[in-house]
Each structure stands twice: as C-alpha cells, then as structure tokens.
Amino acid sequence: MALRRDVDPGSRFAAEGIGERCVIALADLSDHGSLLRVLNEHGVSSVFHLGAQTIVGTANRSPLSTFEANVRGTYNLLEACRLQGDSIEGVVVASSDKAYGAHDELPYREDFALEAAFPYDVSKACTDLIARSYAATFGLPVAVTRLANVYGPGDLNWSRLIPDSARALVRGEAPVIRSDGTPERDYLYLDDAVEVYLAVAASLERPELWGRAWNAGRGEPLSVLEVVRRLIEVSGRQVEPDVRGHGTPAGELDRQFLDSGAIQAELGWTPEWDLDRGLTSTWEWYFRYFGTDSPARRAGGRQ
C-alpha cells in the first residue's frame, strides 16, 4: 500500500503503471486523522516512513512547508502508529546523513551528535529524534535510517546532480555544475537503499534494537566533478562538465560521508552496487525515459 497526496502524471510511478500494482491510500502526513483512518482500515502492520519534502533548495525557500511535512508529518504518523498498539510490528523512519550537520571528523558514526543547521537538515534531525523518542518512551518498534545520497532510476527532481546531468546528456548537452565541483558526497544506489530498509525492518523483531539509528552508504566520498565525469563516460557523450559555481552552494555542506560498519556487522547488510554499475543502470533508464516513444512522452512528463 502507498500513501498519496499529489498526482504527477509524468512521474515514474504514474507513467510506468506502478500505481496500478499498489493499493493507493489518499492521505496527507499533516492530517493525523487521515493517517489513523488508513492504518485502521487497511490493517497496516509494517510502516516505511519515507514521505518527506526532500529537496534542500526547496527547504531554503520554504522552510515552513518543509517542517510541516517532515516534522509534523513524522509525529503525526508515529502517534497514529502508537495508537494501533501491538498491531504495528515495525516502523522504519528515513532520516538522512544531513541530520549530522558539520563535523570536523569524518566519516559520520551513529554516535555523533546531530548538529544540523540548515532547514532541510534540521527537519531530518527532528524526524530522527522524534522517532527514537517513540521507541524510548512508548516502546514503539521503530528504527531510523541515515542514508547517503540515494540515486537511481525514477528520480525526476532536476535540482539533484545525477538526474539533471543525465537529462542534459540525453539531450546532447553538457551537464551544468552549480558549485565549483569539489563538494564531496557518499552515493548509494537505489537497490542497495531498498535492502537497507528491509534489513532494518527485519531487525525490529529484536526489541533490543528498537530506537537504533543505522548509517548506510558506500563510505566512498566522491566529488561532484568526479561523479559527473563518470556519468559522462558511461553515457558515451563527448562533452565536458560546465562548471559555473564557486565554492559550496548556500545551505550545503562541503563534505559528507558515512561509516556503515554497524549495519554491516550487526545486520549483515553490504552495498552490492559500485558507482559505475549504478550509473550505467541509471543512465539506461533516463535514456529510455526520454526516448521518442517513452512512457514520459506518452504521459506528457516533464522534459
């Protein structure tokens, strides 16, 4: 079952018919009553809370709507889950590596303080703390994931590096880099992220792991410029990145990457996709998506 607020006819969910294979529940995370209705009427037992306003730039322009979705949405959902009692077997809440904020020491470990400063980062730190408080105070079987930058097929948020670069390459254009290309991030392919959520959900059978936070990434910090150049290589295009920025964009941190030792040692999760394999799969999807008879074109998707 999937929760839906808005409809985007050009999204992968709509254009490829994914929604036709799901039970769609119409609800808004900011509406506690609608969440109670969905949990009750559909007999939900396991919850994966990934719903959020996820774009850093949007959060900087509109912090209130970001806090409403990410903070209010989280406590509304967790309170609705608490009221279901023992019928809820597990809740996995998506936090983010950005919840850590700036630290002199890297990579981030789960015992680092959450020192977020910018609106999106703060909203995810709040999400994280609220979720763990429900485990500590109410015994709710909940755990938190702090993932690296997730990429892969289906992402149509063009403010993000890999989707925007892939779209430019499909068009035969040079990808535009809006920083100086030096900021470093940890990248995690979509399929590996899914396995993280499943591993953490399975761990909630063990009450001693309720309230845990789990890092997951490849632990391989890569610069923006390096990622774009490797995507260009995968695409076979003969272009160079168009570097237009200076330094790190406002509201962003210069370097972020994760220590995933705990989830590997305790839950047995390891990433299976290296960057080149992941970028190849991602590029092939965008190339198909923007083709002359693609689902996006047939559905009038965003170009």
Side-chain angles (χ1 to χ4, degrees):
M1 188 193 74
L3 207 65
R4 191 184 75 189
R5 185 187 68 175
D6 299 330
V7 178
D8 182 348
S11 70
R12 185 186 188 192
F13 191 78
E16 297 185 6
I18 297 172
E20 297 172 6
R21 305 196 298 272
C22 299
V23 174
I24 304 296
L26 303 179
D28 190 320
L29 287 169
S30 65
D31 182 354
H32 179 254
S34 70
L35 298 175
L36 275 174
R37 178 191 66 79
V38 168
L39 294 176
N40 278 313
E41 291 184 2
H42 293 275
V44 173
S45 59
S46 296
V47 176
F48 294 84
H49 176 37
L50 281 65
Q53 193 297 102
T54 62
I55 306 300
V56 171
T58 301
N60 290 341
R61 294 191 303 272
S62 185
L64 179 59
S65 64
T66 298
F67 295 148
E68 285 288 311
N70 297 2
V71 182
R72 183 191 294 274
T74 295
Y75 66 65
N76 276 345
L77 178 62
L78 291 173
E79 180 64 8
C81 289
R82 182 183 74 86
L83 294 174
Q84 305 310 300
D86 293 341
S87 64
I88 297 294
E89 298 172 1
V91 184
V92 180
V93 174
S95 180
S96 169
D97 59 351
K98 290 179 173 56
Y100 286 110
H103 285 266
D104 292 332
E105 181 184 351
L106 289 171
Y108 299 130
R109 297 191 311 272
E110 287 91 345
D111 60 358
F112 280 21
L114 302 185
E115 297 182 348
F118 303 116
Y120 174 74
D121 308 15
V122 167
S123 77
K124 298 311 285 186
C126 290
T127 292
D128 195 306
L129 290 165
I130 291 167
R132 289 184 289 134
S133 79
Y134 267 78
T137 308
F138 305 113
L140 189 69
V142 59
V144 168
T145 61
R146 300 172 183 161
L147 269 57
N149 283 24
V150 177
Y151 72 98
D155 189 352
L156 302 181
N157 288 299
W158 308 122
S159 63
R160 291 186 176 136
L161 178 68
I162 291 175
D164 189 51
S165 298
R167 181 176 62 167
L169 290 168
V170 170
R171 294 168 168 172
E173 300 168 357
V176 173
I177 295 178
R178 294 176 176 83
S179 67
D180 63 3
T182 63
E184 293 181 349
R185 295 289 184 270
D186 195 358
Y187 293 87
L188 185 68
Y189 185 67
L190 180 63
D191 287 19
D192 281 332
V194 170
E195 293 302 320
V196 171
Y197 292 124
L198 295 176
V200 172
S203 78
L204 294 173
E205 296 177 357
R206 300 163 56 189
E208 70 272 18
L209 296 181
W210 296 356
R212 284 286 298 270
W214 303 95
N215 287 346
R218 291 193 56 79
E220 180 185 6
L222 295 166
S223 73
V224 166
L225 198 54
E226 171 69 10
V227 170
V228 172
R229 283 177 170 158
R230 287 167 75 168
L231 181 59
I232 291 171
E233 183 177 351
V234 162
S235 75
R237 301 299 204 227
Q238 300 300 312
V239 297
E240 287 292 323
D242 181 3
V243 180
R244 298 185 183 178
H246 301 279
T248 302
E252 296 272 8
L253 298 179
D254 188 51
R255 300 184 74 230
Q256 292 180 294
F257 66 105
L258 296 162
D259 180 339
S260 303
I263 195 170
Q264 293 183 29
E266 298 183 51
L267 303 188
W269 174 87
T270 55
E272 299 292 333
W273 291 72
D274 62 30
L275 184 70
D276 289 331
R277 182 184 173 209
L279 287 178
T280 298
S281 174
T282 302
W283 163 252
E284 289 172 350
W285 184 86
Y286 283 105
F287 189 77
R288 292 193 306 271
Y289 184 86
F290 287 113
T292 56
D293 191 36
S294 68
R297 290 186 183 273
R298 292 196 299 273
R302 292 168 291 169
Q303 303 296 311

